[in-house]
mmCIF file of all heavy atoms in Angstrom:
data_model
loop_
_atom_site.group_PDB
_atom_site.id
_atom_site.type_symbol
_atom_site.label_atom_id
_atom_site.label_comp_id
_atom_site.label_asym_id
_atom_site.label_seq_id
_atom_site.Cartn_x
_atom_site.Cartn_y
_atom_site.Cartn_z
ATOM 1 N N ASP A 1 60.757 147.097 44.108
ATOM 2 C CA ASP A 1 61.367 146.333 43.079
ATOM 3 C C ASP A 1 61.242 144.836 43.355
ATOM 4 O O ASP A 1 61.062 144.017 42.286
ATOM 5 C CB ASP A 1 62.873 146.606 43.035
ATOM 6 C CG ASP A 1 63.129 147.970 42.382
ATOM 7 O OD1 ASP A 1 62.200 148.575 41.818
ATOM 8 O OD2 ASP A 1 64.316 148.509 42.458
ATOM 9 N N HIS A 2 61.404 144.412 44.639
ATOM 10 C CA HIS A 2 61.249 142.994 44.923
ATOM 11 C C HIS A 2 59.899 142.489 44.579
ATOM 12 O O HIS A 2 59.667 141.414 43.824
ATOM 13 C CB HIS A 2 61.468 142.801 46.422
ATOM 14 C CG HIS A 2 60.984 141.447 46.935
ATOM 15 N ND1 HIS A 2 59.824 141.197 47.553
ATOM 16 C CD2 HIS A 2 61.617 140.196 46.974
ATOM 17 C CE1 HIS A 2 59.709 139.948 47.879
ATOM 18 N NE2 HIS A 2 60.792 139.343 47.511
ATOM 19 N N ALA A 3 58.886 143.299 44.931
ATOM 20 C CA ALA A 3 57.433 142.865 44.563
ATOM 21 C C ALA A 3 57.259 142.766 43.056
ATOM 22 O O ALA A 3 56.651 141.894 42.573
ATOM 23 C CB ALA A 3 56.527 143.828 45.210
ATOM 24 N N ARG A 4 57.798 143.744 42.374
ATOM 25 C CA ARG A 4 57.560 143.859 40.906
ATOM 26 C C ARG A 4 58.306 142.584 40.179
ATOM 27 O O ARG A 4 57.652 141.999 39.368
ATOM 28 C CB ARG A 4 58.243 145.215 40.317
ATOM 29 C CG ARG A 4 58.143 145.250 38.824
ATOM 30 C CD ARG A 4 58.470 146.727 38.397
ATOM 31 N NE ARG A 4 59.689 147.127 39.050
ATOM 32 C CZ ARG A 4 60.900 146.876 38.566
ATOM 33 N NH1 ARG A 4 61.058 146.099 37.506
ATOM 34 N NH2 ARG A 4 62.023 147.362 39.132
ATOM 35 N N TYR A 5 59.409 142.283 40.692
ATOM 36 C CA TYR A 5 60.068 141.033 40.054
ATOM 37 C C TYR A 5 59.321 139.759 40.378
ATOM 38 O O TYR A 5 59.248 138.924 39.538
ATOM 39 C CB TYR A 5 61.591 140.918 40.535
ATOM 40 C CG TYR A 5 62.433 141.789 39.717
ATOM 41 C CD1 TYR A 5 63.050 142.917 40.300
ATOM 42 C CD2 TYR A 5 62.781 141.621 38.426
ATOM 43 C CE1 TYR A 5 63.937 143.746 39.589
ATOM 44 C CE2 TYR A 5 63.557 142.442 37.693
ATOM 45 C CZ TYR A 5 64.144 143.449 38.224
ATOM 46 O OH TYR A 5 64.989 144.331 37.522
ATOM 47 N N VAL A 6 58.798 139.689 41.524
ATOM 48 C CA VAL A 6 57.986 138.499 41.930
ATOM 49 C C VAL A 6 56.742 138.445 41.017
ATOM 50 O O VAL A 6 56.409 137.389 40.526
ATOM 51 C CB VAL A 6 57.504 138.601 43.383
ATOM 52 C CG1 VAL A 6 56.488 137.506 43.717
ATOM 53 C CG2 VAL A 6 58.788 138.412 44.366
ATOM 54 N N PHE A 7 56.110 139.637 40.789
ATOM 55 C CA PHE A 7 54.993 139.542 39.892
ATOM 56 C C PHE A 7 55.268 139.163 38.479
ATOM 57 O O PHE A 7 54.548 138.356 37.895
ATOM 58 C CB PHE A 7 54.323 140.967 39.806
ATOM 59 C CG PHE A 7 53.801 141.445 41.155
ATOM 60 C CD1 PHE A 7 53.691 142.820 41.462
ATOM 61 C CD2 PHE A 7 53.480 140.634 42.161
ATOM 62 C CE1 PHE A 7 53.213 143.337 42.621
ATOM 63 C CE2 PHE A 7 53.011 141.053 43.372
ATOM 64 C CZ PHE A 7 52.880 142.468 43.565
ATOM 65 N N ILE A 8 56.363 139.714 37.984
ATOM 66 C CA ILE A 8 56.857 139.326 36.585
ATOM 67 C C ILE A 8 57.212 137.847 36.497
ATOM 68 O O ILE A 8 56.953 137.149 35.501
ATOM 69 C CB ILE A 8 58.003 140.278 36.173
ATOM 70 C CG1 ILE A 8 57.655 141.730 36.177
ATOM 71 C CG2 ILE A 8 58.349 139.808 34.664
ATOM 72 C CD1 ILE A 8 58.793 142.625 35.872
ATOM 73 N N ALA A 9 57.945 137.361 37.569
ATOM 74 C CA ALA A 9 58.280 135.972 37.663
ATOM 75 C C ALA A 9 57.053 135.015 37.534
ATOM 76 O O ALA A 9 57.079 134.019 36.892
ATOM 77 C CB ALA A 9 59.085 135.651 38.930
ATOM 78 N N LYS A 10 55.972 135.432 38.285
ATOM 79 C CA LYS A 10 54.809 134.635 38.215
ATOM 80 C C LYS A 10 54.169 134.632 36.818
ATOM 81 O O LYS A 10 53.737 133.573 36.256
ATOM 82 C CB LYS A 10 53.783 135.200 39.183
ATOM 83 C CG LYS A 10 54.106 134.865 40.640
ATOM 84 C CD LYS A 10 53.015 135.412 41.644
ATOM 85 C CE LYS A 10 53.369 135.053 43.029
ATOM 86 N NZ LYS A 10 52.341 135.604 44.027
ATOM 87 N N SER A 11 54.196 135.770 36.072
ATOM 88 C CA SER A 11 53.762 135.877 34.735
ATOM 89 C C SER A 11 54.598 134.942 33.827
ATOM 90 O O SER A 11 54.036 134.338 33.021
ATOM 91 C CB SER A 11 53.861 137.366 34.283
ATOM 92 O OG SER A 11 53.461 137.460 32.948
ATOM 93 N N ALA A 12 55.893 134.983 34.007
ATOM 94 C CA ALA A 12 56.819 134.120 33.182
ATOM 95 C C ALA A 12 56.488 132.616 33.380
ATOM 96 O O ALA A 12 56.450 131.965 32.364
ATOM 97 C CB ALA A 12 58.279 134.407 33.559
ATOM 98 N N LEU A 13 56.227 132.274 34.546
ATOM 99 C CA LEU A 13 55.962 130.924 34.880
ATOM 100 C C LEU A 13 54.582 130.440 34.213
ATOM 101 O O LEU A 13 54.496 129.349 33.681
ATOM 102 C CB LEU A 13 55.837 130.619 36.375
ATOM 103 C CG LEU A 13 55.775 129.137 36.803
ATOM 104 C CD1 LEU A 13 57.016 128.343 36.429
ATOM 105 C CD2 LEU A 13 55.718 129.100 38.435
ATOM 106 N N ARG A 14 53.570 131.304 34.331
ATOM 107 C CA ARG A 14 52.327 131.119 33.699
ATOM 108 C C ARG A 14 52.440 130.882 32.176
ATOM 109 O O ARG A 14 51.729 130.089 31.565
ATOM 110 C CB ARG A 14 51.274 132.245 33.966
ATOM 111 C CG ARG A 14 50.722 132.190 35.321
ATOM 112 C CD ARG A 14 49.512 133.011 35.455
ATOM 113 N NE ARG A 14 49.803 134.505 35.070
ATOM 114 C CZ ARG A 14 50.146 135.354 35.998
ATOM 115 N NH1 ARG A 14 50.290 135.076 37.285
ATOM 116 N NH2 ARG A 14 50.423 136.614 35.574
ATOM 117 N N GLU A 15 53.367 131.669 31.586
ATOM 118 C CA GLU A 15 53.606 131.594 30.089
ATOM 119 C C GLU A 15 54.545 130.413 29.771
ATOM 120 O O GLU A 15 54.812 130.214 28.526
ATOM 121 C CB GLU A 15 54.190 132.880 29.598
ATOM 122 C CG GLU A 15 53.172 134.020 29.736
ATOM 123 C CD GLU A 15 53.730 135.358 29.199
ATOM 124 O OE1 GLU A 15 54.416 135.255 28.234
ATOM 125 O OE2 GLU A 15 53.400 136.425 29.768
ATOM 126 N N GLY A 16 54.998 129.667 30.658
ATOM 127 C CA GLY A 16 55.845 128.474 30.421
ATOM 128 C C GLY A 16 57.311 128.726 30.362
ATOM 129 O O GLY A 16 57.986 127.861 29.985
ATOM 130 N N TYR A 17 57.734 129.867 30.864
ATOM 131 C CA TYR A 17 59.162 130.160 30.964
ATOM 132 C C TYR A 17 59.785 129.954 32.290
ATOM 133 O O TYR A 17 59.995 130.890 33.079
ATOM 134 C CB TYR A 17 59.495 131.591 30.435
ATOM 135 C CG TYR A 17 59.068 131.848 29.074
ATOM 136 C CD1 TYR A 17 57.840 132.579 28.788
ATOM 137 C CD2 TYR A 17 59.753 131.446 27.991
ATOM 138 C CE1 TYR A 17 57.419 132.724 27.495
ATOM 139 C CE2 TYR A 17 59.351 131.665 26.664
ATOM 140 C CZ TYR A 17 58.204 132.335 26.484
ATOM 141 O OH TYR A 17 57.773 132.594 25.089
ATOM 142 N N GLY A 18 60.006 128.710 32.650
ATOM 143 C CA GLY A 18 60.389 128.314 34.005
ATOM 144 C C GLY A 18 61.801 128.910 34.359
ATOM 145 O O GLY A 18 61.895 129.390 35.496
ATOM 146 N N TYR A 19 62.705 128.803 33.394
ATOM 147 C CA TYR A 19 64.125 129.340 33.809
ATOM 148 C C TYR A 19 64.014 130.871 33.966
ATOM 149 O O TYR A 19 64.616 131.433 34.855
ATOM 150 C CB TYR A 19 65.057 129.006 32.711
ATOM 151 C CG TYR A 19 66.393 129.742 32.923
ATOM 152 C CD1 TYR A 19 67.254 129.296 33.904
ATOM 153 C CD2 TYR A 19 66.827 130.825 32.049
ATOM 154 C CE1 TYR A 19 68.413 130.010 34.118
ATOM 155 C CE2 TYR A 19 67.914 131.442 32.254
ATOM 156 C CZ TYR A 19 68.797 131.074 33.295
ATOM 157 O OH TYR A 19 69.966 131.745 33.523
ATOM 158 N N VAL A 20 63.340 131.585 33.078
ATOM 159 C CA VAL A 20 63.186 133.022 33.235
ATOM 160 C C VAL A 20 62.506 133.439 34.564
ATOM 161 O O VAL A 20 62.935 134.324 35.234
ATOM 162 C CB VAL A 20 62.484 133.624 32.044
ATOM 163 C CG1 VAL A 20 62.173 135.159 32.212
ATOM 164 C CG2 VAL A 20 63.186 133.486 30.742
ATOM 165 N N SER A 21 61.520 132.625 34.900
ATOM 166 C CA SER A 21 60.897 132.826 36.180
ATOM 167 C C SER A 21 61.849 132.701 37.396
ATOM 168 O O SER A 21 61.856 133.491 38.244
ATOM 169 C CB SER A 21 59.639 131.892 36.335
ATOM 170 O OG SER A 21 59.069 132.051 37.607
ATOM 171 N N ASP A 22 62.647 131.652 37.305
ATOM 172 C CA ASP A 22 63.645 131.390 38.364
ATOM 173 C C ASP A 22 64.632 132.549 38.422
ATOM 174 O O ASP A 22 65.075 132.935 39.528
ATOM 175 C CB ASP A 22 64.369 130.076 38.154
ATOM 176 C CG ASP A 22 63.504 128.841 38.339
ATOM 177 O OD1 ASP A 22 62.440 129.025 38.939
ATOM 178 O OD2 ASP A 22 63.907 127.759 37.842
ATOM 179 N N LEU A 23 65.055 133.005 37.292
ATOM 180 C CA LEU A 23 66.019 134.074 37.246
ATOM 181 C C LEU A 23 65.455 135.350 37.813
ATOM 182 O O LEU A 23 66.151 136.040 38.581
ATOM 183 C CB LEU A 23 66.478 134.285 35.796
ATOM 184 C CG LEU A 23 67.561 135.325 35.438
ATOM 185 C CD1 LEU A 23 68.367 134.905 34.239
ATOM 186 C CD2 LEU A 23 67.049 136.734 35.284
ATOM 187 N N LEU A 24 64.240 135.689 37.519
ATOM 188 C CA LEU A 24 63.545 136.876 37.994
ATOM 189 C C LEU A 24 63.369 136.675 39.571
ATOM 190 O O LEU A 24 63.546 137.717 40.276
ATOM 191 C CB LEU A 24 62.305 137.084 37.297
ATOM 192 C CG LEU A 24 62.302 137.473 35.828
ATOM 193 C CD1 LEU A 24 61.043 137.435 35.171
ATOM 194 C CD2 LEU A 24 62.959 138.857 35.709
ATOM 195 N N ASN A 25 63.067 135.544 40.028
ATOM 196 C CA ASN A 25 62.978 135.354 41.442
ATOM 197 C C ASN A 25 64.220 135.524 42.123
ATOM 198 O O ASN A 25 64.248 136.077 43.318
ATOM 199 C CB ASN A 25 62.374 134.023 41.792
ATOM 200 C CG ASN A 25 60.879 133.896 41.654
ATOM 201 O OD1 ASN A 25 60.148 134.798 42.144
ATOM 202 N ND2 ASN A 25 60.318 132.878 41.048
ATOM 203 N N ARG A 26 65.374 135.161 41.423
ATOM 204 C CA ARG A 26 66.652 135.350 42.118
ATOM 205 C C ARG A 26 66.973 136.879 42.242
ATOM 206 O O ARG A 26 67.563 137.296 43.234
ATOM 207 C CB ARG A 26 67.701 134.676 41.207
ATOM 208 C CG ARG A 26 69.163 134.572 41.833
ATOM 209 C CD ARG A 26 70.093 133.978 40.984
ATOM 210 N NE ARG A 26 70.488 134.753 39.850
ATOM 211 C CZ ARG A 26 70.795 134.325 38.629
ATOM 212 N NH1 ARG A 26 70.788 132.982 38.414
ATOM 213 N NH2 ARG A 26 71.138 135.128 37.718
ATOM 214 N N ILE A 27 66.598 137.554 41.186
ATOM 215 C CA ILE A 27 66.834 139.030 41.263
ATOM 216 C C ILE A 27 65.941 139.606 42.430
ATOM 217 O O ILE A 27 66.430 140.539 43.111
ATOM 218 C CB ILE A 27 66.456 139.740 39.889
ATOM 219 C CG1 ILE A 27 67.467 139.283 38.848
ATOM 220 C CG2 ILE A 27 66.534 141.304 40.057
ATOM 221 C CD1 ILE A 27 67.189 139.861 37.446
ATOM 222 N N ALA A 28 64.692 139.147 42.521
ATOM 223 C CA ALA A 28 63.856 139.566 43.583
ATOM 224 C C ALA A 28 64.500 139.342 44.894
ATOM 225 O O ALA A 28 64.469 140.172 45.825
ATOM 226 C CB ALA A 28 62.512 138.877 43.521
ATOM 227 N N SER A 29 65.120 138.126 45.065
ATOM 228 C CA SER A 29 65.841 137.825 46.327
ATOM 229 C C SER A 29 66.966 138.819 46.596
ATOM 230 O O SER A 29 67.189 139.194 47.739
ATOM 231 C CB SER A 29 66.282 136.433 46.290
ATOM 232 O OG SER A 29 65.189 135.399 46.306
ATOM 233 N N ASN A 30 67.640 139.126 45.578
ATOM 234 C CA ASN A 30 68.786 140.139 45.682
ATOM 235 C C ASN A 30 68.264 141.416 46.099
ATOM 236 O O ASN A 30 68.817 142.061 47.067
ATOM 237 C CB ASN A 30 69.444 140.280 44.328
ATOM 238 C CG ASN A 30 70.214 139.152 43.817
ATOM 239 O OD1 ASN A 30 70.505 139.028 42.573
ATOM 240 N ND2 ASN A 30 70.580 138.217 44.606
ATOM 241 N N LYS A 31 67.062 141.831 45.530
ATOM 242 C CA LYS A 31 66.530 143.178 46.006
ATOM 243 C C LYS A 31 66.131 143.172 47.450
ATOM 244 O O LYS A 31 66.390 144.206 48.200
ATOM 245 C CB LYS A 31 65.277 143.448 45.185
ATOM 246 C CG LYS A 31 65.595 143.632 43.666
ATOM 247 C CD LYS A 31 66.349 144.841 43.424
ATOM 248 C CE LYS A 31 66.560 145.045 41.942
ATOM 249 N NZ LYS A 31 67.517 146.208 41.592
ATOM 250 N N ILE A 32 65.570 142.114 47.977
ATOM 251 C CA ILE A 32 65.121 142.153 49.358
ATOM 252 C C ILE A 32 66.388 142.055 50.270
ATOM 253 O O ILE A 32 66.405 142.551 51.408
ATOM 254 C CB ILE A 32 64.148 141.052 49.722
ATOM 255 C CG1 ILE A 32 63.242 141.429 50.809
ATOM 256 C CG2 ILE A 32 64.803 139.658 49.985
ATOM 257 C CD1 ILE A 32 62.241 142.610 50.587
ATOM 258 N N ALA A 33 67.486 141.415 49.831
ATOM 259 C CA ALA A 33 68.691 141.365 50.549
ATOM 260 C C ALA A 33 69.312 142.773 50.672
ATOM 261 O O ALA A 33 69.873 143.120 51.671
ATOM 262 C CB ALA A 33 69.718 140.354 49.876
ATOM 263 N N HIS A 34 69.295 143.523 49.566
ATOM 264 C CA HIS A 34 69.785 144.842 49.545
ATOM 265 C C HIS A 34 69.009 145.702 50.532
ATOM 266 O O HIS A 34 69.576 146.513 51.229
ATOM 267 C CB HIS A 34 69.692 145.420 48.095
ATOM 268 C CG HIS A 34 70.588 144.720 47.212
ATOM 269 N ND1 HIS A 34 70.460 144.888 45.772
ATOM 270 C CD2 HIS A 34 71.557 143.814 47.291
ATOM 271 C CE1 HIS A 34 71.355 144.114 45.159
ATOM 272 N NE2 HIS A 34 71.982 143.500 46.093
#
């Protein structure tokens, strides 16, 4: 899940959605903490 969210976050950033990318990276960080 962590890897998947990191991949989607990169896609969001490429498409210009900086906040959505940050949010997805935060969820990714939650996953690796779990």
Side-chain angles (χ1 to χ4, degrees):
D1 286 347
H2 169 262
R4 178 167 50 81
Y5 278 112
V6 169
F7 298 155
I8 302 172
K10 289 182 178 179
S11 175
L13 190 60
R14 283 196 301 269
E15 294 182 34
Y17 298 103
Y19 170 73
V20 174
S21 178
D22 290 344
L23 187 149
L24 293 169
N25 277 319
R26 189 180 73 211
I27 295 178
S29 295
N30 293 159
K31 295 297 181 181
I32 209 65
H34 298 165

